[in-house]
């Protein structure tokens, strides 16, 4: 074999990559490299992310697609989710996002067959070599380096390139391999003879050993000069001679397949023993048993030269890959064997779910590799790509796909496809505010749909519903609701869960909430959350929408629970839009609580994460920011935000007009405020839910002008309209300061006396999970320290009711009953004075008032529901469990953990939390979301540390990810638990310890 054009001394390999004993496991020409990666990963205790490049197209886009696929295969779901936020058509941006998403986690990147990299992939690798963070390592393996990587300084300090010469074995390593691996001791003379015969090439050495062609006395007797290609062919021929004629032909056919395992070999050849026979003959394979395998690189090439693949083998292989939903592998295979029309058909026949689950960048690359002649036969592949882009809002790729589809789909000969295309084009027109054009296109297509085109009809109704909702008047909103509900029913019947989640969110926000149907909107948002439980980014967005609505309705505690979960998701997936939306909602909450500094801080965070979403929603954000600042008295800041909203290129009139009214009414010119209110009420886009707010600001502006009668009339109208919506407390919830000021000014008016009194009955929430806090509409109610505070905790912890005698015994265990009763009466009176009537005495029982609720009560209800659904194997169990866990922010009353009355309920609630985490873990593991599964297990072990099985489960998932160091830590914790309990170690623990080399009892 000729030497590599680049050479790396072995000390450089070990210095750069770690203490790996690479000498006895690596080999050139494509064989032994998986063993190298495994050994390095094991030694360093870090995951290995491997991309294998191939002759059939190894661009930068393909390289990143294969790296992303490797990330997904490892179950690093947090990283996968964050990569989805980067530009799908920009490999450099994806590389930056990949490095950032790893967030300090050390990873070994292995790029195999690097000699196949084209100029774009080589440039990307050169950039990676110079910009990788310190904790990462990059290993490039191939027969040679592309020009961009061949320079002396091109690879930097954290990258290593290995060629055939670098991977060659020395005579000493040959002796070690023969003696330890094959129990065939070699003398120094024999080792040098073998080295001379093989050139140190591991593939040839293992062929010799595996083929039993050498022994202790006849190492040089093979007479094979493996420095030539003919020598390898001779070795392979000798191994093939061990097979039957049919098996030899099978081995040749197998070399053409894109992957090898028992299932695919059985499917293609109807022979369940062929793979075992080929392996037993000694033909070298890479990959582990029970996983995907392939012939060693040079062996595969040599076998392919012996015969072409049969048509029947291609057809059976394709059928099997499609059944396993390995669509990218299948399409690459078809393109390699010049079957572009068949490749186009595979992509055209994907369901929407299958299309969404493909790596988007690779999907786009595959579609791009299919010429128009083939795509014209199956143009639906372009529609599938466009729809997959919609989930992540990848607008440029979607637009290009639809534009190409327009050139390939002929309306006259393909009317059904033309209607599908029209639905997507109309959807984009409405989104880009070309409402009339989009509506006309959708209506025309809808008129031509047939009865069997239900999904096309649903997409068109979806578009028409959105178009009607944008017009915002009550007639159009009613029309929009009807269309969107029909679309939702069709999506549900066809199990199109992503489309269902989207349309339910649209129905809730653009229609039901706009019409003031708040309870219906909240139910639709809950249905949307249940529709696609594993799509974390979508769930996070829906949670922010729900949080916004709940906050405006005065249900601040529930809103905060939604945002807690949304923020957890945002942190995990790193989506700038989601990070911005959660901060946007936090700013709204802070403005309702009159927290000035928090308002400014959260608004700054929103702008920090400004990205593509700002082009569409920037005016709405700036208008809201002006409103929030003005609400807390930051008048100058409000003026700046309002000016920016007016200058935004895409004016969003409703939120801008509402902000102008609010700013003018609170602190500006009252006459201007009145004009803004009248303009809103007369606008075509006026939403019914806005009437109470317009009337309230008209009342406040009139009061500031000194026109008390007009102010009273408008204030009464504001409360009447709020009551019609089913939320009479809306003015208190959304505009507390303005409402309080108005009622103070108009307190003599009989119509408003009863309204003012309703605020005294507003809901109260007692938080006992993770701490103690009492709030009303999100505002704290101070409960003085002492026996009254303790009594409130006890009743809340007891489920809202407690016998008075029991309370007396707990508070004053050594006093006479009569004295205790007097003391209890005094405590209740003092509690009523400081915190209104929160605890009531009902004969011999103390109860929380009807308007008072606890977070523990809500948590326990949702936890019970989730566990019941899980027992029924219902898919709704997961979203309900997640909702419940967002309420559980810690143990019950951690400051009272030594109180006897708190122990039993604390353990009960903790047990519910652990059960919910088990539900979430199982669901995450089922879909390969190993990061989430490990996170759930770790949180569960924090709550219940003496169940060693959860440590073992976490270790198993971490081993699958290649994170051996983290797995070892979990096993050591399991050992500590077993030691504390004084029980025998389970066999599963011992097996895992042996598997990854944990030293029992080590620190």
């Amino acid at each position: 074999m000729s030497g590599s054009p680049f050479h790396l001394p072995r000390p450089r390999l070990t210095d750069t990559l770690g203490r790996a004993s690479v000498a006895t496991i690596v080999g050139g020409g494509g064989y032994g490299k998986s063993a190298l990666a495994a050994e390095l990963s094991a030694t360093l205790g870090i995951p290995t992310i491997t991309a294998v490049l191939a002759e059939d197209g190894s661009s930068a886009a393909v390289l990143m697609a294969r790296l992303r696929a490797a990330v997904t295969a490892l179950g690093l779901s947090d990283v996968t989710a964050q990569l989805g936020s980067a530009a799908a058509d920009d490999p450099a941006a994806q590389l930056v996002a990949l490095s950032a998403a790893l967030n300090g986690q050390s990873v070994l990147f292995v790029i195999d067959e690097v000699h196949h990299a084209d100029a774009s992939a080589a440039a990307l690798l050169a950039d990676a070599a110079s910009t990788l963070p310190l904790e990462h390592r990059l290993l490039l393996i191939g027969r040679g380096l592309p020009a961009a990587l061949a320079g002396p300084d091109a690879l930097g300090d954290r990258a290593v390139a290995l060629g055939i010469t670098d991977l060659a074995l020395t005579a000493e390593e040959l002796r070690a391999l023969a003696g330890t691996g094959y129990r065939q001791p070699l003398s120094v003379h024999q080792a040098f003879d073998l080295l001379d015969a093989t050139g140190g090439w591991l593939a040839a050495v293992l062929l010799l050993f595996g083929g039993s062609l050498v022994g202790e006395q006849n190492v040089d007797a093979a007479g094979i000069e493996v420095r030539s290609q003919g020598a390898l062919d001779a070795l392979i021929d000798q191994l093939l001679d061990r097979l039957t004629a049919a098996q030899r032909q099978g081995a040749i056919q197998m070399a053409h397949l894109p992957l090898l395992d028992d299932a695919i070999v059985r499917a293609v050849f109807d022979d369940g023993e062929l793979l075992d026979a080929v392996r037993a003959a000694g033909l070298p394979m890479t990959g582990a048993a029970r996983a995907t395998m392939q012939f060693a690189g040079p062996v595969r090439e040599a076998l392919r030269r012996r015969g072409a693949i049969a048509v029947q083998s291609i057809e059976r292989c394709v059928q099997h890959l499609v059944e396993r939903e390995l669509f990218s592998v299948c399409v690459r295979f078809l393109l390699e064997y010049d079957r572009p029309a068949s490749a186009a058909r595979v992509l055209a026949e994907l369901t929407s779910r299958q299309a969404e689950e493909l790596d988007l960048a690779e999907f786009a690359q595959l579609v791009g590799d299919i010429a128009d002649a083939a795509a014209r036969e199956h143009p639906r592949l372009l529609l599938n790509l466009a729809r997959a882009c919609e989930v992540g809002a990848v607008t440029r790729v979607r637009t290009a796909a639809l534009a190409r589809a327009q050139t390939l789909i002929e309306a006259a000969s393909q009317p059904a496809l033309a209607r599908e295309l029209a639905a997507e084009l109309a959807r984009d027109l409405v989104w880009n505010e070309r409402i009339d054009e989009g509506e006309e296109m959708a209506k025309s297509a809808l008129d031509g749909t047939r009865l069997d085109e239900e999904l096309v009809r649903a997409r068109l109704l979806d578009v028409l519903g959105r178009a009607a909702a944008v017009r915002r008047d009550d007639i159009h909103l009613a029309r929009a609701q009807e269309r969107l509900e029909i679309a939702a029913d069709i999506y549900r019947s066809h199990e199109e869960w992503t489309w269902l989640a989207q349309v339910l969110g649209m129905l809730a926000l653009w229609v039901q909430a706009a019409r003031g149907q708040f309870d219906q909107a909240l139910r639709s948002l809950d249905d949307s959350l249940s529709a696609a439980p594993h799509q974390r980014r979508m769930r996070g967005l829906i949670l922010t929408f729900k949080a916004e609505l709940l906050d405006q309705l005065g249900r601040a505690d529930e809103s905060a629970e939604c945002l807690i979960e949304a923020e957890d998701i945002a942190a995990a997936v790193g989506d700038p839009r989601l990070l911005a939306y959660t901060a946007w909602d936090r700013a709204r909450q802070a403005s309702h609580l009159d927290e000035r500094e928090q308002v400014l801080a959260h608004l700054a965070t929103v702008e920090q994460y400004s990205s593509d979403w700002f082009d569409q929603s920037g005016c709405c954000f700036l208008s809201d920011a002006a409103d929030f600042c003005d609400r807390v008295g930051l008048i100058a800041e409000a003026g700046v935000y309002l000016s920016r909203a007016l200058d935004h290129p895409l004016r969003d009139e409703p939120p801008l007009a509402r902000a102008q009214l609010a700013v003018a009414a609170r602190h500006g010119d009252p006459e201007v405020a009145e004009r803004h209110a009248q303009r809103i009420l007369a606008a075509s886009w006026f939403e019914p839910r806005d009437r109470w707010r317009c009337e309230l600001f008209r009342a406040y502006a009139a009061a500031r002008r000194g026109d008390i009668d007009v102010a009273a009339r408008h204030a009464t109208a504001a409360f009447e309209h709020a009551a019609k919506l089913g939320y009479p407390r809306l003015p208190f919830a959304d505009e507390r300061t303005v409402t309080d000021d108005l009622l103070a000014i108009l307190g003599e008016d009989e119509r408003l006396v009863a309204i003012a009194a309703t605020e005294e009955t507003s809901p109260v929430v007692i938080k006992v999970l993770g701490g103690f806090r009492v709030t009303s509409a999100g505002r704290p109610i101070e409960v003085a320290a002492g026996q009254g505070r303790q009594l409130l905790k006890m009743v809340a912890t007891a489920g809202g009711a407690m016998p008075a005698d029991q309370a007396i015994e707990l508070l004053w265990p050594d006093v006479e009953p009569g004295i205790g009763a007097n003391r209890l009466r005094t405590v209740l009176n003092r509690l009523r004075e400081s915190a209104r009537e929160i605890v009531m005495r009902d004969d011999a029982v103390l109860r929380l008032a009807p308007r008072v609720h606890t977070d523990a009560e809500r948590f326990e209800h949702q936890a019970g529901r989730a566990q019941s659904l899980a027992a029924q194997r219902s898919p709704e169990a997961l979203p309900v469990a997640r909702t419940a866990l967002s309420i559980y922010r810690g143990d019950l009353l951690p400051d009272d953990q030594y109180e006897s009355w708190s122990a039993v309920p604390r353990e009960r609630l903790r047990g519910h939390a652990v059960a919910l985490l088990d539900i979430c873990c199982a669901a995450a593991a089922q879909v390969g979301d190993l990061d989430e599964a490990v996170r759930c297990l770790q949180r569960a072990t924090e709550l219940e540390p003496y169940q060693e099985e959860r440590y073992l489960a976490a270790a198993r998932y971490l081993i699958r990810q290649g994170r051996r160091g983290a797995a070892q830590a979990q096993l050591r914790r399991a050992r500590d638990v077993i030691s504390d309990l004084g029980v025998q170690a389970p066999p599963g623990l011992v097996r895992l310890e042996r598997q990854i080399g944990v030293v029992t009892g080590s620190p």
Side-chain angles (χ1 to χ4, degrees), residues 26 56 87 174 176 223 260 264 330 357 440 538 631 647 697 777 807 832 860 876 882 892 971:
V26 299
D56 60 347
L174 281 172
L260 297 177
I264 195 169
C330 181
E357 291 177 356
E440 182 179 353
M538 178 177 292
R631 182 178 288 143
D647 292 337
F697 281 128
R832 188 177 298 111
E860 201 153 16
E876 293 184 22
R882 285 175 171 164
L892 175 79
L971 295 181

Side-chain angles (χ1 to χ4, degrees), residues 384-613:
N384 284 339
L385 174 59
R387 291 162 181 159
C389 290
E390 185 180 31
V391 176
V394 185
T395 54
R396 284 181 291 176
V397 177
R398 175 178 166 87
T399 300
L402 292 178
R404 187 180 175 195
Q406 285 180 279
T407 67
L408 299 179
I409 295 176
E410 299 176 0
S413 60
Q414 299 169 300
L417 273 174
R419 286 188 287 272
E420 287 191 58
L421 174 60
E424 303 307 318
L425 294 171
R427 198 176 187 87
D428 286 358
L429 288 171
V430 171
W431 182 250
N432 292 319
E433 298 197 352
R434 295 164 63 181
I435 310 301
D436 293 336
E437 295 176 65
E439 200 168 37
E440 182 179 353
M441 180 180 289
K443 285 180 178 177
S444 176
L446 184 63
D447 289 342
T449 55
R450 304 189 306 264
L451 290 177
D452 61 345
E453 295 179 76
E454 269 203 311
L455 278 176
V456 180
R457 182 166 171 263
R459 292 288 278 185
L460 291 165
L461 287 170
D462 189 342
V463 172
L464 291 171
R466 292 169 186 241
V470 170
R471 302 184 189 281
R472 289 186 171 90
D473 63 88
D474 199 46
I475 293 176
H476 280 94
L477 288 175
R479 191 174 300 160
Q481 181 156 345
E482 179 183 7
R483 290 167 174 171
L484 293 176
E485 286 177 346
I486 294 173
D489 288 341
I490 296 173
Y491 291 155
R492 187 179 285 107
S493 67
H494 286 266
E495 298 185 351
E496 291 288 354
W497 304 121
T498 300
W499 293 354
L500 176 61
Q502 289 175 327
V503 80
L504 289 173
M506 189 63 58
L507 176 65
L509 297 174
W510 285 26
V511 180
Q512 292 166 333
R515 300 182 75 185
Q517 299 168 341
F518 300 124
D519 291 338
Q520 289 184 35
L522 290 170
R523 284 195 294 271
S524 293
L525 289 171
D526 286 337
D527 288 344
S528 178
L529 290 170
S530 298
H534 294 294
Q535 292 188 358
R536 285 193 286 172
R537 184 177 288 106
M538 178 177 292
R539 180 175 177 84
L541 289 172
I542 297 296
L543 285 167
T544 65
F545 301 148
K546 185 178 178 182
E548 175 185 352
L549 184 54
L550 287 168
D551 189 58
Q552 291 174 339
L553 296 177
R555 296 163 65 174
D557 297 290
E558 295 171 70
S559 174
E561 290 162 4
C562 291
L563 282 185
I564 287 169
E565 184 182 353
E567 286 166 340
D568 288 344
I569 295 172
V573 304
D575 186 335
R577 179 174 56 161
L578 185 51
L579 289 164
Y581 281 13
T582 54
W584 189 344
D585 281 337
R586 286 296 187 191
R588 178 181 292 101
Q589 287 186 341
S591 74
H592 285 145
L593 298 175
D594 200 28
E595 298 172 343
R596 293 187 177 193
E597 293 183 1
Q598 291 297 312
V599 168
L600 292 176
H602 290 308
L603 292 177
T605 300
V606 176
E607 301 223 49
Q608 176 186 345
Y609 292 109
S610 174
S611 59
D612 291 349
W613 67 265

Side-chain angles (χ1 to χ4, degrees), residues 933-943 950 954 958 963 966 970 973:
V934 170
R935 191 161 38 241
C936 291
L937 287 168
Q938 290 175 335
R939 188 175 171 190
T941 55
E942 290 171 3
L943 295 173
R950 291 191 181 88
L958 291 166
R963 298 164 64 184
Q970 291 293 318
R973 291 182 67 187

Side-chain angles (χ1 to χ4, degrees), residues 33 181 230 248 374 452 470 474 480 530 626 646 841 852 883 974:
K33 292 175 288 189
R248 283 196 294 273
D452 61 345
V470 170
D474 199 46
S530 298
L646 288 164
R841 181 159 187 171
V852 181
T883 299

